[in-house]
Amino acid sequence: VVDLEPLVHQVALEWAPAALEKKIDLGFERTGWPLRIDGNPLLLRELVGNLIDNAIKYTPECGRVTVRTRATEFAIVEVEDNGPGIAEKERDLVFERFYRVLGNEAAGSGLGLAIVREIAELHRANVLLKPNPEGQGTVSQVVFPRHHLPAAEPRA
């Protein structure tokens, strides 16, 4: 059992130097509630790190990246940026190994989101890429089933 909230916060802190180097405002918004899931902490750190790396890589200098956790009946991790965004017709293609959106100059192999999807699937989670509702950019969202404690045994 892994509590996603402190894990995501720690990974976001580790990416702060890369954000500062590009003068990107990197923020973290937390739920304040435990977000327990069944998972592998090492793989989950890789998933979150890849999402933050992509957001920083594709967000222009002086941009904004916000990492957040949300609690519903699911445990949700979001990484929102105000970069160029991903065209709707390419949102599924970017999960293919080595696929790169044409017209960008960011370095990379095209494996990051393929790895994110594989790790998410191992955790019975869904990955969604949505346009940023505030205008330009992308919201990467991973929705995990929450860990539920077993019901209390009836007393004899």
Side-chain angles (χ1 to χ4, degrees):
V1 177
V2 177
D3 188 347
L4 271 178
E5 186 145 303
L7 183 143
V8 172
H9 184 241
Q10 182 60 42
V11 175
L13 286 173
E14 292 167 9
W15 282 95
L20 285 171
E21 192 173 307
K22 279 187 76 176
K23 299 180 178 95
I24 289 175
D25 177 14
L26 176 62
F28 181 73
E29 298 173 2
R30 67 181 70 223
T31 67
W33 293 95
L35 285 179
R36 293 184 187 98
I37 67 166
D38 295 317
N40 178 312
L42 185 62
L43 293 176
L44 292 166
R45 291 177 63 78
E46 181 75 18
L47 177 148
V48 175
N50 280 343
L51 292 176
I52 296 171
D53 179 32
N54 273 355
I56 291 171
K57 186 182 300 177
Y58 294 104
T59 297
E61 193 168 291
C62 300
R64 180 181 36 78
V65 172
T66 303
V67 180
R68 75 175 57 88
T69 53
R70 293 185 29 224
T72 66
E73 68 261 35
F74 301 99
I76 301 170
V77 175
E78 290 183 341
V79 178
E80 176 184 307
D81 66 62
N82 65 344
I86 301 170
E88 186 174 354
K89 65 182 180 178
E90 294 191 272
R91 286 192 199 130
D92 285 331
L93 296 173
V94 296
F95 290 105
E96 293 179 15
R97 290 182 172 275
F98 307 112
Y99 183 84
R100 307 232 335 143
V101 174
L102 295 175
N104 72 65
E105 298 176 16
S109 64
L111 288 173
L113 288 176
I115 292 169
V116 165
R117 179 168 273 172
E118 286 179 22
I119 294 171
E121 288 172 352
L122 288 172
H123 290 85
R124 300 181 337 267
N126 293 316
V127 183
L128 306 163
L129 298 177
K130 305 185 284 189
N132 186 333
E134 293 187 15
Q136 190 171 349
T138 300
V139 177
S140 303
Q141 184 181 72
V142 187
V143 181
F144 296 90
R146 289 179 80 166
H147 174 82
H148 296 286
L149 297 173
E153 303 237 347
R155 295 178 192 221

PDB file of all heavy atoms in Angstrom, residues 13-36:
ATOM      1  N   LEU A  13       9.261  17.907  -5.763  1.00  0.00           N
ATOM      2  CA  LEU A  13      10.405  18.627  -5.182  1.00  0.00           C
ATOM      3  C   LEU A  13      11.704  18.297  -5.915  1.00  0.00           C
ATOM      4  O   LEU A  13      12.550  19.169  -6.112  1.00  0.00           O
ATOM      5  CB  LEU A  13      10.551  18.283  -3.693  1.00  0.00           C
ATOM      6  CG  LEU A  13       9.531  18.894  -2.748  1.00  0.00           C
ATOM      7  CD1 LEU A  13       9.703  18.324  -1.338  1.00  0.00           C
ATOM      8  CD2 LEU A  13       9.631  20.406  -2.740  1.00  0.00           C
ATOM      9  N   GLU A  14      11.859  17.046  -6.318  1.00  0.00           N
ATOM     10  CA  GLU A  14      13.072  16.640  -7.027  1.00  0.00           C
ATOM     11  C   GLU A  14      13.194  17.310  -8.399  1.00  0.00           C
ATOM     12  O   GLU A  14      14.298  17.463  -8.910  1.00  0.00           O
ATOM     13  CB  GLU A  14      13.099  15.118  -7.175  1.00  0.00           C
ATOM     14  CG  GLU A  14      13.288  14.407  -5.840  1.00  0.00           C
ATOM     15  CD  GLU A  14      13.012  12.914  -5.892  1.00  0.00           C
ATOM     16  OE1 GLU A  14      12.835  12.353  -7.000  1.00  0.00           O
ATOM     17  OE2 GLU A  14      12.970  12.302  -4.808  1.00  0.00           O
ATOM     18  N   TRP A  15      12.069  17.723  -8.986  1.00  0.00           N
ATOM     19  CA  TRP A  15      12.086  18.381 -10.295  1.00  0.00           C
ATOM     20  C   TRP A  15      12.185  19.901 -10.183  1.00  0.00           C
ATOM     21  O   TRP A  15      12.277  20.596 -11.195  1.00  0.00           O
ATOM     22  CB  TRP A  15      10.866  17.972 -11.116  1.00  0.00           C
ATOM     23  CG  TRP A  15      11.069  16.612 -11.706  1.00  0.00           C
ATOM     24  CD1 TRP A  15      10.664  15.419 -11.198  1.00  0.00           C
ATOM     25  CD2 TRP A  15      11.790  16.318 -12.899  1.00  0.00           C
ATOM     26  NE1 TRP A  15      11.086  14.394 -12.009  1.00  0.00           N
ATOM     27  CE2 TRP A  15      11.777  14.921 -13.061  1.00  0.00           C
ATOM     28  CE3 TRP A  15      12.445  17.103 -13.843  1.00  0.00           C
ATOM     29  CZ2 TRP A  15      12.390  14.290 -14.138  1.00  0.00           C
ATOM     30  CZ3 TRP A  15      13.051  16.472 -14.929  1.00  0.00           C
ATOM     31  CH2 TRP A  15      13.025  15.077 -15.055  1.00  0.00           C
ATOM     32  N   ALA A  16      12.173  20.434  -8.963  1.00  0.00           N
ATOM     33  CA  ALA A  16      12.244  21.890  -8.785  1.00  0.00           C
ATOM     34  C   ALA A  16      13.485  22.512  -9.426  1.00  0.00           C
ATOM     35  O   ALA A  16      13.367  23.559 -10.082  1.00  0.00           O
ATOM     36  CB  ALA A  16      12.154  22.249  -7.304  1.00  0.00           C
ATOM     37  N   PRO A  17      14.696  21.928  -9.291  1.00  0.00           N
ATOM     38  CA  PRO A  17      15.858  22.549  -9.945  1.00  0.00           C
ATOM     39  C   PRO A  17      15.704  22.666 -11.467  1.00  0.00           C
ATOM     40  O   PRO A  17      16.088  23.682 -12.047  1.00  0.00           O
ATOM     41  CB  PRO A  17      17.024  21.625  -9.570  1.00  0.00           C
ATOM     42  CG  PRO A  17      16.590  20.963  -8.298  1.00  0.00           C
ATOM     43  CD  PRO A  17      15.103  20.796  -8.441  1.00  0.00           C
ATOM     44  N   ALA A  18      15.142  21.656 -12.107  1.00  0.00           N
ATOM     45  CA  ALA A  18      14.944  21.712 -13.565  1.00  0.00           C
ATOM     46  C   ALA A  18      13.948  22.812 -13.920  1.00  0.00           C
ATOM     47  O   ALA A  18      14.118  23.518 -14.919  1.00  0.00           O
ATOM     48  CB  ALA A  18      14.456  20.361 -14.099  1.00  0.00           C
ATOM     49  N   ALA A  19      12.906  22.966 -13.098  1.00  0.00           N
ATOM     50  CA  ALA A  19      11.921  24.030 -13.341  1.00  0.00           C
ATOM     51  C   ALA A  19      12.566  25.402 -13.151  1.00  0.00           C
ATOM     52  O   ALA A  19      12.358  26.308 -13.971  1.00  0.00           O
ATOM     53  CB  ALA A  19      10.726  23.861 -12.408  1.00  0.00           C
ATOM     54  N   LEU A  20      13.349  25.554 -12.091  1.00  0.00           N
ATOM     55  CA  LEU A  20      14.018  26.834 -11.835  1.00  0.00           C
ATOM     56  C   LEU A  20      14.964  27.212 -12.969  1.00  0.00           C
ATOM     57  O   LEU A  20      15.066  28.383 -13.332  1.00  0.00           O
ATOM     58  CB  LEU A  20      14.788  26.781 -10.517  1.00  0.00           C
ATOM     59  CG  LEU A  20      13.947  26.862  -9.252  1.00  0.00           C
ATOM     60  CD1 LEU A  20      14.808  26.588  -8.027  1.00  0.00           C
ATOM     61  CD2 LEU A  20      13.264  28.208  -9.151  1.00  0.00           C
ATOM     62  N   GLU A  21      15.631  26.219 -13.518  1.00  0.00           N
ATOM     63  CA  GLU A  21      16.565  26.482 -14.619  1.00  0.00           C
ATOM     64  C   GLU A  21      15.855  27.114 -15.814  1.00  0.00           C
ATOM     65  O   GLU A  21      16.425  27.943 -16.518  1.00  0.00           O
ATOM     66  CB  GLU A  21      17.238  25.170 -15.028  1.00  0.00           C
ATOM     67  CG  GLU A  21      18.410  25.340 -15.953  1.00  0.00           C
ATOM     68  CD  GLU A  21      19.135  24.028 -16.176  1.00  0.00           C
ATOM     69  OE1 GLU A  21      19.510  23.381 -15.188  1.00  0.00           O
ATOM     70  OE2 GLU A  21      19.318  23.667 -17.354  1.00  0.00           O
ATOM     71  N   LYS A  22      14.590  26.735 -16.044  1.00  0.00           N
ATOM     72  CA  LYS A  22      13.807  27.309 -17.147  1.00  0.00           C
ATOM     73  C   LYS A  22      12.906  28.454 -16.689  1.00  0.00           C
ATOM     74  O   LYS A  22      12.051  28.904 -17.439  1.00  0.00           O
ATOM     75  CB  LYS A  22      12.943  26.222 -17.801  1.00  0.00           C
ATOM     76  CG  LYS A  22      13.690  25.352 -18.781  1.00  0.00           C
ATOM     77  CD  LYS A  22      12.742  24.410 -19.512  1.00  0.00           C
ATOM     78  CE  LYS A  22      11.941  25.105 -20.590  1.00  0.00           C
ATOM     79  NZ  LYS A  22      11.082  24.168 -21.363  1.00  0.00           N
ATOM     80  N   LYS A  23      13.071  28.869 -15.419  1.00  0.00           N
ATOM     81  CA  LYS A  23      12.234  29.930 -14.844  1.00  0.00           C
ATOM     82  C   LYS A  23      10.754  29.559 -14.885  1.00  0.00           C
ATOM     83  O   LYS A  23       9.880  30.405 -15.117  1.00  0.00           O
ATOM     84  CB  LYS A  23      12.485  31.264 -15.537  1.00  0.00           C
ATOM     85  CG  LYS A  23      13.916  31.742 -15.415  1.00  0.00           C
ATOM     86  CD  LYS A  23      14.108  33.076 -16.115  1.00  0.00           C
ATOM     87  CE  LYS A  23      15.518  33.556 -15.950  1.00  0.00           C
ATOM     88  NZ  LYS A  23      16.403  33.226 -17.027  1.00  0.00           N
ATOM     89  N   ILE A  24      10.469  28.275 -14.683  1.00  0.00           N
ATOM     90  CA  ILE A  24       9.094  27.785 -14.673  1.00  0.00           C
ATOM     91  C   ILE A  24       8.596  27.761 -13.238  1.00  0.00           C
ATOM     92  O   ILE A  24       9.280  27.306 -12.324  1.00  0.00           O
ATOM     93  CB  ILE A  24       9.016  26.374 -15.306  1.00  0.00           C
ATOM     94  CG1 ILE A  24       9.247  26.484 -16.817  1.00  0.00           C
ATOM     95  CG2 ILE A  24       7.686  25.702 -14.998  1.00  0.00           C
ATOM     96  CD1 ILE A  24       9.306  25.170 -17.536  1.00  0.00           C
ATOM     97  N   ASP A  25       7.401  28.277 -13.042  1.00  0.00           N
ATOM     98  CA  ASP A  25       6.747  28.261 -11.742  1.00  0.00           C
ATOM     99  C   ASP A  25       6.180  26.860 -11.531  1.00  0.00           C
ATOM    100  O   ASP A  25       5.185  26.488 -12.140  1.00  0.00           O
ATOM    101  CB  ASP A  25       5.636  29.317 -11.712  1.00  0.00           C
ATOM    102  CG  ASP A  25       4.844  29.314 -10.420  1.00  0.00           C
ATOM    103  OD1 ASP A  25       5.289  28.690  -9.431  1.00  0.00           O
ATOM    104  OD2 ASP A  25       3.770  29.943 -10.396  1.00  0.00           O
ATOM    105  N   LEU A  26       6.846  26.059 -10.696  1.00  0.00           N
ATOM    106  CA  LEU A  26       6.413  24.692 -10.401  1.00  0.00           C
ATOM    107  C   LEU A  26       5.685  24.700  -9.073  1.00  0.00           C
ATOM    108  O   LEU A  26       6.270  25.014  -8.038  1.00  0.00           O
ATOM    109  CB  LEU A  26       7.618  23.749 -10.349  1.00  0.00           C
ATOM    110  CG  LEU A  26       7.334  22.290  -9.962  1.00  0.00           C
ATOM    111  CD1 LEU A  26       6.411  21.626 -10.977  1.00  0.00           C
ATOM    112  CD2 LEU A  26       8.645  21.518  -9.844  1.00  0.00           C
ATOM    113  N   GLY A  27       4.403  24.367  -9.105  1.00  0.00           N
ATOM    114  CA  GLY A  27       3.598  24.352  -7.890  1.00  0.00           C
ATOM    115  C   GLY A  27       3.107  22.969  -7.549  1.00  0.00           C
ATOM    116  O   GLY A  27       3.111  22.061  -8.395  1.00  0.00           O
ATOM    117  N   PHE A  28       2.690  22.789  -6.304  1.00  0.00           N
ATOM    118  CA  PHE A  28       2.122  21.521  -5.850  1.00  0.00           C
ATOM    119  C   PHE A  28       0.866  21.812  -5.048  1.00  0.00           C
ATOM    120  O   PHE A  28       0.885  22.628  -4.120  1.00  0.00           O
ATOM    121  CB  PHE A  28       3.128  20.744  -4.997  1.00  0.00           C
ATOM    122  CG  PHE A  28       2.594  19.421  -4.515  1.00  0.00           C
ATOM    123  CD1 PHE A  28       2.452  18.363  -5.387  1.00  0.00           C
ATOM    124  CD2 PHE A  28       2.205  19.257  -3.196  1.00  0.00           C
ATOM    125  CE1 PHE A  28       1.934  17.143  -4.952  1.00  0.00           C
ATOM    126  CE2 PHE A  28       1.691  18.040  -2.748  1.00  0.00           C
ATOM    127  CZ  PHE A  28       1.564  16.978  -3.634  1.00  0.00           C
ATOM    128  N   GLU A  29      -0.217  21.159  -5.421  1.00  0.00           N
ATOM    129  CA  GLU A  29      -1.486  21.294  -4.697  1.00  0.00           C
ATOM    130  C   GLU A  29      -1.853  19.925  -4.145  1.00  0.00           C
ATOM    131  O   GLU A  29      -1.904  18.955  -4.886  1.00  0.00           O
ATOM    132  CB  GLU A  29      -2.587  21.797  -5.640  1.00  0.00           C
ATOM    133  CG  GLU A  29      -2.313  23.167  -6.210  1.00  0.00           C
ATOM    134  CD  GLU A  29      -3.327  23.591  -7.261  1.00  0.00           C
ATOM    135  OE1 GLU A  29      -4.290  22.832  -7.544  1.00  0.00           O
ATOM    136  OE2 GLU A  29      -3.150  24.685  -7.813  1.00  0.00           O
ATOM    137  N   ARG A  30      -2.105  19.871  -2.841  1.00  0.00           N
ATOM    138  CA  ARG A  30      -2.390  18.593  -2.194  1.00  0.00           C
ATOM    139  C   ARG A  30      -3.828  18.528  -1.702  1.00  0.00           C
ATOM    140  O   ARG A  30      -4.468  19.549  -1.525  1.00  0.00           O
ATOM    141  CB  ARG A  30      -1.424  18.361  -1.045  1.00  0.00           C
ATOM    142  CG  ARG A  30      -1.618  19.333   0.099  1.00  0.00           C
ATOM    143  CD  ARG A  30      -0.658  19.141   1.255  1.00  0.00           C
ATOM    144  NE  ARG A  30       0.672  19.521   0.856  1.00  0.00           N
ATOM    145  CZ  ARG A  30       1.763  18.824   1.167  1.00  0.00           C
ATOM    146  NH1 ARG A  30       1.689  17.737   1.871  1.00  0.00           N
ATOM    147  NH2 ARG A  30       2.933  19.229   0.780  1.00  0.00           N
ATOM    148  N   THR A  31      -4.270  17.307  -1.474  1.00  0.00           N
ATOM    149  CA  THR A  31      -5.618  17.102  -0.945  1.00  0.00           C
ATOM    150  C   THR A  31      -5.657  17.254   0.559  1.00  0.00           C
ATOM    151  O   THR A  31      -6.658  17.669   1.114  1.00  0.00           O
ATOM    152  CB  THR A  31      -6.137  15.688  -1.270  1.00  0.00           C
ATOM    153  OG1 THR A  31      -5.346  14.740  -0.554  1.00  0.00           O
ATOM    154  CG2 THR A  31      -6.114  15.397  -2.742  1.00  0.00           C
ATOM    155  N   GLY A  32      -4.573  16.848   1.222  1.00  0.00           N
ATOM    156  CA  GLY A  32      -4.576  16.811   2.677  1.00  0.00           C
ATOM    157  C   GLY A  32      -5.166  15.519   3.223  1.00  0.00           C
ATOM    158  O   GLY A  32      -5.302  15.344   4.422  1.00  0.00           O
ATOM    159  N   TRP A  33      -5.515  14.597   2.326  1.00  0.00           N
ATOM    160  CA  TRP A  33      -6.087  13.307   2.714  1.00  0.00           C
ATOM    161  C   TRP A  33      -5.165  12.196   2.243  1.00  0.00           C
ATOM    162  O   TRP A  33      -4.491  12.332   1.225  1.00  0.00           O
ATOM    163  CB  TRP A  33      -7.454  13.110   2.062  1.00  0.00           C
ATOM    164  CG  TRP A  33      -8.470  14.057   2.579  1.00  0.00           C
ATOM    165  CD1 TRP A  33      -8.823  15.253   2.034  1.00  0.00           C
ATOM    166  CD2 TRP A  33      -9.260  13.909   3.753  1.00  0.00           C
ATOM    167  NE1 TRP A  33      -9.775  15.863   2.789  1.00  0.00           N
ATOM    168  CE2 TRP A  33     -10.069  15.054   3.856  1.00  0.00           C
ATOM    169  CE3 TRP A  33      -9.364  12.915   4.719  1.00  0.00           C
ATOM    170  CZ2 TRP A  33     -10.966  15.228   4.890  1.00  0.00           C
ATOM    171  CZ3 TRP A  33     -10.268  13.106   5.755  1.00  0.00           C
ATOM    172  CH2 TRP A  33     -11.057  14.249   5.830  1.00  0.00           C
ATOM    173  N   PRO A  34      -5.157  11.067   2.953  1.00  0.00           N
ATOM    174  CA  PRO A  34      -4.385   9.919   2.455  1.00  0.00           C
ATOM    175  C   PRO A  34      -4.943   9.457   1.109  1.00  0.00           C
ATOM    176  O   PRO A  34      -6.154   9.412   0.915  1.00  0.00           O
ATOM    177  CB  PRO A  34      -4.596   8.844   3.524  1.00  0.00           C
ATOM    178  CG  PRO A  34      -5.066   9.565   4.740  1.00  0.00           C
ATOM    179  CD  PRO A  34      -5.791  10.790   4.242  1.00  0.00           C
ATOM    180  N   LEU A  35      -4.058   9.188   0.184  1.00  0.00           N
ATOM    181  CA  LEU A  35      -4.450   8.668  -1.129  1.00  0.00           C
ATOM    182  C   LEU A  35      -3.782   7.314  -1.311  1.00  0.00           C
ATOM    183  O   LEU A  35      -2.847   7.156  -2.089  1.00  0.00           O
ATOM    184  CB  LEU A  35      -4.013   9.630  -2.238  1.00  0.00           C
ATOM    185  CG  LEU A  35      -4.806  10.891  -2.401  1.00  0.00           C
ATOM    186  CD1 LEU A  35      -4.243  11.751  -3.527  1.00  0.00           C
ATOM    187  CD2 LEU A  35      -6.267  10.580  -2.679  1.00  0.00           C
ATOM    188  N   ARG A  36      -4.251   6.345  -0.578  1.00  0.00           N
ATOM    189  CA  ARG A  36      -3.634   5.019  -0.584  1.00  0.00           C
ATOM    190  C   ARG A  36      -4.087   4.211  -1.789  1.00  0.00           C
ATOM    191  O   ARG A  36      -5.276   4.139  -2.093  1.00  0.00           O
ATOM    192  CB  ARG A  36      -3.968   4.288   0.702  1.00  0.00           C
ATOM    193  CG  ARG A  36      -3.335   4.928   1.912  1.00  0.00           C
ATOM    194  CD  ARG A  36      -3.601   4.113   3.175  1.00  0.00           C
ATOM    195  NE  ARG A  36      -3.129   4.851   4.324  1.00  0.00           N
ATOM    196  CZ  ARG A  36      -3.912   5.588   5.108  1.00  0.00           C
ATOM    197  NH1 ARG A  36      -5.197   5.684   4.861  1.00  0.00           N
ATOM    198  NH2 ARG A  36      -3.400   6.234   6.130  1.00  0.00           N
TER     199      ARG A  36
END
